Amino acid sequence: MPEPISDFSIWATILLLGLGTWLIRFSFLGLIGARQMPDWALRHLRYVPVAIMPGIVAPLVAWPEATGGVLEPIRLSAIIVALLIGAYMRSTLWSIAAGLVVLYGLLAL
């Protein structure tokens, strides 16, 4: 039987992870401050939401707990519509809205 983790180990881990995430954010936001960023950096930063959103949302939509991790036609339809609207409109918000409307609309039927 594994030995229980001590309270000190848990709190030390929480504090060190908190400090680490703060240092990561500070290295970018705190050191740059109000200075103008170079054009190449601003150009790359525009793609951050587009890169992060699919990585967070796609597994939750495609293989949700509600279906036991099985992809179903309703969710696949919502994914396809969201991708098409996102490619056509070039808008993350319109893509999310279209996917939600299709998903909840088909689930209501």
Side-chain angles (χ1 to χ4, degrees), residues 5 8 19 36 63 68 105:
I5 300 172
F8 174 78
L19 178 65
Q36 181 65 27
W63 302 283

Side-chain angles (χ1 to χ4, degrees), residues 24-25 27-29 32-33 35-53 92:
I24 290 170
R25 287 190 306 267
S27 69
F28 188 77
L29 300 172
I32 291 176
R35 288 181 278 179
Q36 181 65 27
M37 293 179 66
D39 289 336
W40 64 267
L42 292 173
R43 197 170 41 249
H44 290 297
L45 285 174
R46 280 188 286 176
Y47 296 106
V48 170
V50 176
I52 291 174
M53 284 298 288
T92 305

Side-chain angles (χ1 to χ4, degrees), residues 50 82 85-97:
V50 176
I85 295 295
Y88 178 74
M89 301 285 290
R90 301 218 182 262
S91 169
T92 305
L93 293 178
W94 279 110
S95 178
I96 292 170

Side-chain angles (χ1 to χ4, degrees), residues 5-16:
I5 300 172
S6 69
D7 287 344
F8 174 78
S9 296
I10 292 173
W11 281 109
T13 302
I14 291 170
L15 291 174
L16 287 173

